[in-house]
Structure formats: structure tokens, C-alpha cells
Amino acid sequence: MAEDMKPTTGQNFIHEFITEDIAPGGRFAGMQVHTRFPPEPNGYLHIGHCKALIIDFGSAEKFGGLCNLRMDDTNPAKEDTEFVDAIQEDIHWLGFDWGDRFYYGSDYFEKTYELAIGLIKKGLAYVCELTPEQFKEYRGDVNTPARSPWRDRPIEESLDLFQRMRAGEFPEGKYTLRAKIDLESGNFNMRDPVLYRIRYIEHHRQGTKWCIFPMYDFAHPIQDALEGITHSLCSLEYEDHRPLYDWVINNTDVPSKPRQIEFARLGINYTVMSKRKLRRLVEEKYVSGWDDPRMPTLCGLRRRGYTPLSIRNFTERIGVAKNTSTVDYAFLEHCLREDLNEHARRVMAVLRPVKLVITNYPAGQSEEFEVENIPGNPDAGTRKVTFSRELWIEAEDFLPEPIPKYKRLYPDGPECRLKGAYLIKCVGYETDDQGNVTEIAAEYDPDSRGGDPADGRKIKGATLHWVDAATAVDAEVRLYDSLFSDEAPDAGDKDFLECLNPGSLEILTGCKLEQSLADTPVPEKGKTAEGFQFMRQGYFCADSRDSAPGHLVFNRAVSLKDSFKF
């Protein structure tokens, strides 16, 4: 990881467990800490995955250990190499690397099958032929044990049937392989769980070699053990599965005994993080793709203008807990503002332009002003902006008739500063046939170059940003808001699609940008575009998909106003 991208991970309960485990006399005394991040390649990583990702990679880094990247491709139904590539790209973007420790869960299919055979031979697994409906019927409840008439099937018969299941002799649903544990257990995960099921579906890597596939609860602990993982860090919904994890580890002939530790998932308001729901948004065209800047996916956040540091800081600062909670989306925005405020160049961009004519400025004349790129940071340098008789300003910076406390331009109103240039005073305006203001007339004070009057008089008007009409660059600007108008769009029995925010995207064309932005490069694939602060507007970046030379498109990453309350 690059030096300037190191996380600030502090001590948490997971690290306390690890410290205890590797101490003298501990469970892993003298061993190197080894974790893994096992995403399922059936969608793109989103902000919720970042918590697990940073815990896995960050914990290994904190203790000088290793972290594997393993694609959990044991379920072939929705997996795709597109997602595999995207996951790797996103992890690299966040600043983490797995070296040569990249694996697929399907790499272990043969070994997992052999270990299942071993369980049958030990009398700890059997082939069951309950139908899905019967399986539910016989599952029992808190007062009634589960049942299976096939639990005492002879070992040789189960071995024969399981081998024939692999050979493809039976239809889907005909048989399953179940562990023989405890049909009376209060933990329903231990009531003889299914270990294998028949599926006739092509696997993205294995093709049609396999027609039986291991369940995650069986495959995952085996994969961890075969890779020498010491600490299997996973989200809280697997806490009730931990007894089964340990049962598999203790009853199969695996070379190591990892420890599973659970933590609470990351929840954020005004969004959904179910892959199924995100997939619907994409496939049903509610968004432009997985990388739509309104999506919580890492590629969407990257395209919008989020930086790796802002996301890592957000994830680390919310902490690691055992209790599920929901974080305010405004805090994620706050973390981005913190980062961009330090590094983003300030530039002038007029999003809803109206012409301003300086009537007493010499026609045909122009000049340059040198302005700082980042206030208070001389190392960020300066740039030159041109100034001439005709400028563009924001339409909202002028009113024909002022409202109370309005301190911008209006006829015979107060003097206002043009940022870094001169003082001006409105002397008139023009409208079209519909009454829309088309041009504003003003006079400037030639002795106020830089924005300060020579006589030291007090300026009551506001400071306005502007763009020289002679050198302005046209651009399209996209203003993004939350994709959902409901704070909890997938809570209860809500239809999350009915909670979509119709104002989540506003597209402005004909925007006017200062000349320095004319050659703004489009970011390389997997990289974040340079962030700019459009003065008084927010933080923006060039769109990685649609921006091109001669057709600039900028996305608003976040507004300037910080609504987060500490």
C-alpha cells in the first residue's frame, strides 16, 4: 500500500482477539496472522463491502500478516468474470494488494468432494431424498425436533448414491448430502444441514465438469483451512453459523483450524446494498449501469469523484462493532469533503450562466489575474485567468428587484466583488420577450484591481465568481443527489423502487468553465479523476465514461455544505 494511503485503523475487539491468539500460549502463538477477503463474483463491490475488505486487509497489515483474495464462486448461478475483474480493480483502487494469493473457491471442489466422502465414511453425513417441500415440513420448530427418514441410511449406500450424484445420474432436487449432527439442536443450522445439492448449470470456470455443488457453510471453512487462514473475519449474520463452521473444521481432515470472528455489517441510510436490488436497478434501467454515480458501488462512487482515502477514513472512523447500526450518508459525504478540501484545486465555473457586460471596460481589451489554486497552501501554486469586457456569472447572482438581505447584483444595488478581479456595480439589464434576463450591465472601479478599493471603503455586496466570455469552455454538468428519497428504502415491506428520488440527477448544459479546465483529462480505468472545487458550487470531477476533448462532462461529487452533525 502506498505510504500516503495507509489506513488509520486503531485497536478494536477483533484486534484484541488476534493479539490474544498470537501471544505466547495463545491459539496461534508463533504463527503469522493470515486473513482472507472472499467476495462472491455475482455483482460489483459496494460501500458495504468496504468494511469487511478493510477489516480483512487492514487487520493482516496491522499484524504484519497476509490476506488472501478468494472468489467465492461455489454458487454458479449468477457468477461472471466481469465481476471478478471489477472486484480486483476496486480493491487495488482502495490501495490494497494480495500479491500472489489469489484463489477461487472452485479451485477446491475436488478436495471438498473428497472431504465429504470422508464424512460419509465416518458416519457423519448421509444422502437424503426429502423433497424441498418435505424438507420444510420435517424441519421442526423450537419445540419439535427435525426428522429425516434417511438419516440411518447405510454408509455404503450413501457413498454409492453420492458418487452417482456426481456422475449426473439423478435430476435436480432428487438427493442432497446432509451432515449428521443434531436434529434436536436449538440452533437450526445444526439440524443436519445440507452439504451438497445437485445443480445442472454451467460454472464460469469449471464448465460442466460438476453437477453437484457444496453449500457455502460447508465449503467456506474448508477453503479457509486449506489456505492456512488463522482468522476468518465475517459479518454478524454468520454468528449462528459458527458452530457449523467449527463442526466442519473439527470433523474433516483439514490441515489447520481457523477461528471465525463476526462483526456488524455496515448500514447506510438513503440507499440499498442488497446485490439483488442493485442488480434490479441496473437490469431494469433505473440507473445507467453498475457505475452510475448514484449507486453505492465502489465503481459508481469512484466515477462520482470519491477518493480511496475518503472511503477508508469513513469505514475506519465508524468503527468495528458487534451491534448492527445505520450510519448517516452525510458522514460519508463529510469524509469526502475533508479530503477534497485539502487537495482539490479551486476553479471558477458558472453552471446557469447569464451575460455580464462591464460597460466602462475598454472594448477589445483583456488582462490576466493570477489566483491561488488552494487558499492557504502556497505549494499548490497559482494559475492565470483572463478578464475582459464580457463575462458570465450565475443567473442567481442577479435580481431585477431584490429580496430582503439580498447582497448580490441588482439595479443601483451595492458594490460586489468579482473574485480576484474588480469591484462592480449594476447599472441595468436586458430581457427577452418572455421577461427573462438576458444581459446585465455593470460598471467597474478601475482602481480596485484584485478586489479591494483604493480608498478602503467598506463593500457591502457579495463576492461573485465569474468566467471570461472570450475564453470560456462549454461543458455539461451533472448534479447528483441521493438515489432514494426514503431514509430506509428497503425496510419492512416497502417496495424500494417506489422510494426512488425523481430528482436524483439534474443535467445542466451550456455551463461555462474557466479556460484552465479545457484540457481536463479523463481518468484512466480504475482511477479517480482529479477533483476540483467549483467555487460556491461544490466538488466536481470529469466523468470517466462520457467526458472527452471537446465535450467536457463534469459530475458533482458532493456539495460544499456539510450537513453532518457530530
Side-chain angles (χ1 to χ4, degrees), residues 1-12 15 54-55 57-59 61-62 94 96 308-320 331 335 338:
M1 181 181 294
E3 189 64 32
D4 62 347
M5 294 176 66
K6 282 188 178 295
T8 56
T9 306
Q11 189 80 355
N12 56 55
H15 295 158
I54 290 173
I55 288 173
F57 280 95
S59 296
E61 186 174 75
K62 180 180 179 68
L94 282 174
F96 296 107
L309 185 59
S310 68
I311 291 176
R312 285 200 312 274
N313 282 343
F314 165 75
T315 305
E316 290 152 10
R317 287 163 68 177
I318 61 175
V320 180
F331 184 51
C335 291
E338 271 191 335

Side-chain angles (χ1 to χ4, degrees), residues 207-480:
T208 57
K209 179 180 178 181
W210 292 90
C211 62
I212 57 170
F213 293 93
M215 302 298 289
Y216 181 83
D217 278 345
F218 183 56
H220 184 226
I222 289 172
Q223 294 161 8
D224 285 347
L226 294 176
E227 291 178 12
I229 302 303
T230 57
H231 296 87
S232 182
L233 312 177
C234 56
S235 49
L236 200 58
E237 67 265 32
Y238 290 103
E239 184 172 37
D240 288 343
H241 296 246
R242 192 200 314 154
L244 178 53
Y245 183 99
D246 292 338
W247 184 91
V248 173
I249 292 296
N250 292 326
N251 288 284
T252 56
D253 298 324
V254 290
S256 66
K257 296 184 181 299
R259 176 182 184 180
Q260 178 175 300
I261 303 173
E262 307 85 16
F263 55 87
R265 279 190 171 195
L266 170 61
I268 305 179
N269 59 8
Y270 294 102
T271 190
V272 298
M273 286 187 284
S274 157
K275 282 185 183 179
R276 178 182 58 82
K277 292 178 180 178
L278 295 177
R279 184 187 291 270
R280 280 195 67 188
L281 291 173
V282 173
E283 293 178 348
E284 297 177 24
K285 310 297 183 184
Y286 291 100
V287 294
S288 62
W290 287 97
D291 66 344
D292 187 299
R294 294 166 293 180
M295 291 280 275
T297 53
L298 294 187
C299 58
L301 292 169
R302 179 166 63 242
R303 183 179 171 193
R304 183 162 175 167
Y306 275 79
T307 62
L309 185 59
S310 68
I311 291 176
R312 285 200 312 274
N313 282 343
F314 165 75
T315 305
E316 290 152 10
R317 287 163 68 177
I318 61 175
V320 180
K322 289 287 284 189
N323 298 320
T324 301
S325 61
T326 300
V327 181
D328 194 336
Y329 195 94
F331 184 51
L332 176 60
E333 295 180 323
H334 170 79
C335 291
L336 178 61
R337 285 190 194 93
E338 271 191 335
D339 187 21
L340 292 178
N341 185 57
E342 293 290 325
H343 305 103
R345 286 194 287 143
R346 277 54 167 174
V347 294
M348 290 191 285
V350 177
L351 305 189
R352 297 173 176 86
V354 63
K355 183 68 69 69
L356 174 71
V357 178
I358 312 296
T359 58
N360 63 334
Y361 193 88
Q365 180 176 314
S366 67
E367 58 185 305
E368 289 184 332
F369 290 91
E370 191 163 325
V371 294
E372 57 190 352
N373 286 327
I374 301 179
N377 182 3
D379 293 338
T382 60
R383 70 188 187 287
K384 288 181 167 49
V385 294
T386 61
F387 183 93
S388 62
R389 191 170 188 268
E390 295 187 357
L391 309 173
W392 295 107
I393 64 168
E394 290 290 344
E396 67 178 16
D397 287 341
F398 171 80
L399 284 179
E401 296 182 8
I403 58 177
K405 298 184 180 181
Y406 188 75
K407 295 184 178 181
R408 286 170 270 182
L409 294 176
Y410 56 90
D412 298 321
E415 287 183 297
C416 292
R417 285 184 174 86
L418 292 177
K419 173 69 178 178
Y422 291 105
L423 296 174
I424 62 169
K425 185 178 179 66
C426 178
V427 296
Y429 66 96
E430 297 180 5
T431 61
D432 59 19
D433 294 341
Q434 286 76 44
N436 300 309
V437 175
T438 57
E439 189 174 290
I440 303 162
E443 293 181 349
Y444 85 118
D445 176 2
D447 295 325
S448 63
R449 196 176 198 278
D452 293 318
D455 60 6
R457 65 185 181 276
K458 185 177 181 180
I459 306 304
K460 297 181 179 180
T463 298
L464 312 178
H465 66 282
W466 53 274
V467 173
D468 183 8
T471 59
V473 179
D474 284 336
E476 176 183 312
V477 174
R478 299 170 180 174
L479 305 179
Y480 291 99

Side-chain angles (χ1 to χ4, degrees), residues 65-89:
L66 303 172
C67 183
N68 296 357
L69 174 59
R70 182 201 309 143
M71 296 296 155
D72 172 27
D73 61 346
T74 53
N75 176 10
K78 297 179 181 178
E79 292 156 0
D80 195 288
T81 54
E82 171 195 353
F83 302 131
V84 172
D85 295 340
I87 288 168
Q88 294 181 81
E89 181 176 270

